[in-house]
Amino acid sequence: IYAIATLSTTMPDSFPPWSQYLCLAISLFILGTLEGLQIGVVELAHKNPNQYRKLYPRAARLLAFENKGRNVERFLMGRQVLV
């Protein structure tokens, strides 16, 4: 934030400070979302989706997909590339 305020970023001069703040806010939002998803995926990895099927049918379908094959590892690798 200090670098944006003092115009000391490596962004080109054509980018106004408000756009740099916007990029920062979007990046932090995406990073926070990915971190939260990682916690959820790792916590629910290899759980039985049938226990959630009655109250949360959509979550049960997603959990069944997550537990197929190596989907957890693939998600974590993709998340790591984005972070």
Side-chain angles (χ1 to χ4, degrees):
I1 294 175
Y2 176 77
I4 297 172
T6 60
L7 302 176
S8 302
T9 63
T10 58
M11 300 282 277
D13 292 335
S14 61
F15 283 94
W18 65 266
S19 66
Q20 296 175 26
Y21 284 118
L22 183 64
C23 288
L24 177 64
I26 291 171
S27 298
L28 289 176
F29 175 77
I30 291 172
L31 180 64
T33 302
L34 287 172
E35 291 295 327
L37 282 172
Q38 177 189 358
I39 292 169
V41 166
V42 170
E43 183 66 29
L44 291 174
H46 310 298
K47 296 257 183 175
N48 185 6
N50 290 329
Q51 63 186 0
Y52 302 106
R53 194 168 307 280
K54 188 173 184 178
L55 290 174
Y56 309 105
R58 184 175 175 191
R61 287 193 307 270
L62 288 171
L63 187 57
F65 176 75
E66 175 189 333
N67 289 338
K68 282 186 201 171
R70 300 183 58 188
N71 287 334
V72 172
E73 290 84 4
R74 290 178 182 154
F75 170 79
L76 293 176
M77 287 301 296
R79 180 210 151 270
Q80 192 63 33
V81 168
L82 290 175
V83 171

